[in-house]
Amino acid sequence: MNTLEAVPAGLATMRPGAELSAVLAEIPVRRVSGHDTVDVMAAAYRQVCHAQGVFLRALLETGMRRPHTPEGVSRLESPGEFAAEEARAALMWSRRRADSTFEFAWQVHERLPMLGEAMEAGVLDEPRARAFVHWTIGLDDDHAAQVIAALLPVAAGLLVGVLIDRIKRAAIAIDPGWAERRYRAAVKGRRVEGSRNDDGTANLHGLDLPIDRAAAACDRIDTLARACKHAGDARPIDHIRADLYLGMLDGTFDALAENQIIDHVLAHPVVDSAEREQGTTAGGHSCDGDRGDGGRPAAETALDRRAADGAVTAGTTDTTMTPGPGGPAAAGAAPSGWCVRELRVEVAAMLGLNEHPAEIVGWDFVPASQARPLLASMRGAEWRWVICDHDGRPIDGGVTRLRPTPAGSGAPTLAGVPGRGRSAIVELQLKAGELPELIAVGLERGWDAVLADVAAQHATGEADDVPPDDPLRRRARSRLRRTVQIRDRYCTHPACRAPATRGDQDHALDHAAGGPTDEANLGSCCRHDHRLKHDGGWGLTRSAPELTVWTSPLRHTYTNRPPPVMPTLPGAADPAEIPPF
């Protein structure tokens, strides 16, 4: 049985700092009484709040120091545009995280210093400090200080939601026009953002939208979804709403009237094949409990009545779930107006020789089973090929205009019309040593012409650009631009994941200073980091074509080397038989 240990006297009221940190380090918390564990926990939380306040003060100082003064103490009066960049590089944070955390640090230690003092004293935690900061935006500093002075003494005893309510009530009482100004300022920042989830799905958000238009848009989607349910769609209404939402955005419903949209949705339901086999696609799963007809569950009348009316033809209702953004899973699946912007795949995986994941660039990695039909939907994209060495690093690349065809169907097809609105990119990856095997397997799966074209270009070194690249030109021609994009993969800043294909081509030695436009001197930079170099006081050198060294105004260096195009992956069981392209 463990020996009971007493906690030091005065632990419950000990101020955070070095002494409390040392005391906590010596407490064997698993051997203190149940009553005392609460005092240990509370003391540790005070120390966490203190440490967070100290960290935010240190982070703030990295951005408030005058550029190019690493040896002294020279402070700016206000932070500049690139104030968070040192923290971003040193902590390997995303730009959004660095910017938002630096802004928070400036708010609690400069604009509203009583918040920083309370954090360092251990009496205010980060969630409550963020509530004070967020809900006093739009108030002038004096009014914000009034609100905080009134509520800070009781904040620790309030739930965060209750604290927010009290802050809002006090802010409106002090400044009746605050809420309207806040709304108008927020609408000026309206935007659309996409994000990925851990399970492979994604979210698409419209943020800070005018409330009337957002409400109208939601109502229109809901009205159309209910019309689809009434017309016989058996699926949960939330699924229908999601399909309508995407169809309106990706161009599927372009030029369709509302009745045509309803017909289209019913003719092309996106249904999970596993749910179909289990019989779980009934409308009873709808969050609103919608019924299909006459009070009966929608599953009992699902599409049957539509088929009897001649609105649905054989084969159009039995589709499987669209296996990835932009790609139909079967002949009856709904066509998409847009495909994904960039897809990277291993040729061996597309031929069924392995199940290595593909990458929807800027979004996520997806299984090969999702990538194959997605690739089939991108015939009109630019298909780049990349041959890699044993370590997976690129040694050659180009473009092929040929596309796979079903085995035995005749001559290979050429690229079709690019996706509407902009050209998309497919990157076909393969290693030099596997090319003969791929060609042999490709003959059975309709890939023989594509792979023969790749092999011929690789053997002859024929460039698809005329005239050849010129190091005296300011802008790289297409072949060199692709080479740099494929090599770098992403922006060359070590804390940036912006895809190289969406960034700028940056000269390490500026073109105006005599820097050549060649592979050794060019690198990929997102627009922000390109400006960071030219306007933010950061330096950039390239000791080798694939190595980029960034030097901050405070004279710290950060090195970046791009990842391999084809990294070594763990083996897996032999894949099941893969159908031809």
Side-chain angles (χ1 to χ4, degrees):
M1 184 174 180
N2 291 332
T3 303
L4 188 66
E5 297 278 350
V7 299
L11 178 66
T13 58
M14 190 175 294
R15 289 178 61 82
E19 181 182 358
L20 179 57
S21 178
V23 168
L24 288 169
E26 297 299 323
I27 294 177
V29 69
R30 296 187 66 175
R31 296 204 299 272
V32 304
S33 70
H35 179 275
D36 288 345
T37 58
V38 178
D39 288 338
V40 176
M41 177 189 68
Y45 196 55
R46 290 198 305 277
Q47 187 67 20
V48 167
C49 297
H50 166 78
Q52 185 68 12
V54 172
F55 164 73
L56 291 172
R57 186 180 294 278
L59 183 148
L60 176 69
E61 288 304 313
T62 66
M64 295 297 291
R65 296 304 172 93
R66 196 173 301 279
H68 308 297
T69 59
E71 306 299 335
V73 180
S74 180
R75 206 168 185 273
L76 298 167
E77 293 185 3
S78 60
E81 178 184 357
F82 301 106
E85 293 299 328
E86 190 79 55
R88 172 190 169 212
L91 302 179
M92 287 300 291
W93 280 0
S94 68
R95 181 152 58 95
R96 178 179 298 178
R97 183 180 182 186
D99 286 344
S100 63
T101 308
F102 182 88
E103 171 66 19
F104 179 55
W106 185 83
Q107 291 280 345
V108 301
H109 283 300
E110 289 285 331
R111 177 174 177 257
L112 307 169
M114 65 284 285
L115 297 179
E117 293 168 3
M119 292 183 75
E120 292 186 353
V123 297
L124 184 70
D125 62 5
E126 182 180 347
R128 289 172 176 82
R130 287 190 178 277
F132 276 119
V133 167
H134 182 75
W135 291 102
T136 57
I137 292 173
L139 290 176
D140 65 39
D141 293 355
D142 289 340
H143 286 163
Q146 274 185 263
V147 173
I148 292 170
L151 295 174
L152 189 56
V154 299
L158 301 175
L159 292 172
V160 174
V162 175
L163 176 61
I164 290 171
D165 287 344
R166 294 197 181 183
I167 296 170
K168 290 161 65 176
R169 179 178 294 180
I172 293 173
I174 290 174
D175 183 354
W178 168 76
E180 183 177 354
R181 293 198 308 274
R182 184 183 177 90
Y183 172 79
R184 294 187 182 280
V187 169
K188 290 181 179 179
R190 59 191 180 275
R191 62 205 181 277
V192 173
E193 293 181 357
S195 61
R196 61 185 182 181
N197 299 322
D198 293 341
D199 58 8
T201 61
N203 301 324
L204 185 60
H205 306 274
L207 303 176
D208 297 328
L209 307 177
I211 190 169
D212 55 337
R213 295 189 64 188
C218 285
D219 184 68
R220 183 179 185 224
I221 288 176
D222 184 65
T223 299
L224 286 171
R226 292 176 184 278
C228 291
K229 289 289 287 185
H230 182 74
D233 197 320
R235 298 170 300 154
I237 197 166
D238 277 341
H239 293 189
I240 303 172
R241 291 187 184 113
D243 294 345
L244 287 164
Y245 175 57
L246 289 174
M248 290 175 178
L249 293 176
D250 70 8
T252 300
F253 300 154
D254 281 2
L256 295 184
E258 290 192 353
N259 63 322
Q260 294 172 312
I261 291 174
I262 295 168
D263 287 342
H264 182 96
V265 170
L266 266 72
H268 303 91
V270 180
V271 177
D272 189 326
S273 57
E275 290 182 346
R276 180 184 302 282
E277 292 171 3
Q278 297 168 7
T280 58
T281 60
H285 287 279
S286 168
C287 62
D288 294 326
D290 286 4
R291 302 289 182 172
D293 183 46
R296 293 178 293 164
E300 297 181 12
T301 59
L303 295 178
D304 296 335
R305 180 161 51 84
R306 293 281 296 172
D309 293 340
V312 180
T313 57
T316 60
T317 62
D318 191 19
T319 59
T320 56
M321 177 174 285
T322 300
S336 173
W338 288 70
C339 56
V340 301
R341 184 185 293 267
E342 186 173 356
L343 177 70
R344 297 171 180 171
V345 299
E346 290 189 20
V347 174
M350 297 301 96
L351 293 175
L353 298 176
N354 64 48
E355 290 296 296
H356 289 175
E359 181 181 7
I360 301 177
V361 180
W363 286 89
D364 208 349
F365 291 92
V366 297
S369 59
Q370 290 187 350
R372 293 181 189 108
L374 179 54
L375 179 66
S377 73
M378 298 182 68
R379 290 181 178 272
E382 178 184 85
W383 282 32
R384 301 178 174 184
W385 55 268
V386 187
I387 294 181
C388 300
D389 61 17
H390 178 75
D391 297 322
R393 296 200 173 272
I395 58 176
D396 196 8
V399 171
T400 179
R401 295 186 64 243
L402 298 180
R403 300 291 180 264
T405 55
S409 65
T413 59
L414 294 175
V417 179
R420 275 185 284 174
R422 50 87 177 103
S423 60
I425 295 171
V426 168
E427 181 180 279
L428 304 175
Q429 306 166 355
L430 61 155
K431 291 186 176 179
E434 65 185 11
L435 188 52
E437 179 188 6
L438 294 178
I439 291 175
V441 175
L443 183 63
E444 303 173 0
R445 298 186 177 275
W447 278 74
D448 48 318
V450 175
L451 293 170
D453 184 37
V454 171
Q457 291 188 50
H458 176 54
T460 61
E462 291 181 354
D464 56 350
D465 299 317
V466 179
D469 292 308
D470 180 359
L472 298 181
R473 282 174 54 91
R474 184 176 182 276
R475 298 184 181 277
R477 291 195 172 98
S478 58
R479 183 180 179 91
L480 177 58
R481 186 173 65 251
R482 284 195 305 271
T483 298
V484 172
Q485 290 171 348
I486 290 169
R487 179 199 68 200
D488 291 342
R489 314 306 284 162
Y490 302 96
C491 171
T492 57
H493 190 288
C496 187
R497 290 278 294 171
T501 51
R502 302 182 206 174
D504 299 338
Q505 297 268 297
D506 174 60
H507 294 73
L509 176 61
D510 290 344
H511 184 265
T517 301
D518 60 18
E519 185 177 350
N521 193 47
L522 281 181
S524 302
C525 274
C526 70
R527 180 54 56 88
H528 173 84
D529 289 325
H530 201 168
R531 292 185 58 248
L532 181 65
K533 174 194 166 189
H534 289 284
D535 302 332
W538 284 62
L540 185 152
T541 58
R542 190 164 286 114
S543 56
E546 72 278 7
L547 289 179
T548 309
V549 180
W550 290 74
T551 303
S552 77
L554 297 181
R555 211 177 295 165
H556 286 269
T557 58
Y558 305 94
T559 302
N560 179 68
R561 188 187 190 203
V565 170
M566 299 179 68
T568 301
L569 298 174
D574 291 337
E577 183 68 22
I578 306 299
F581 186 91

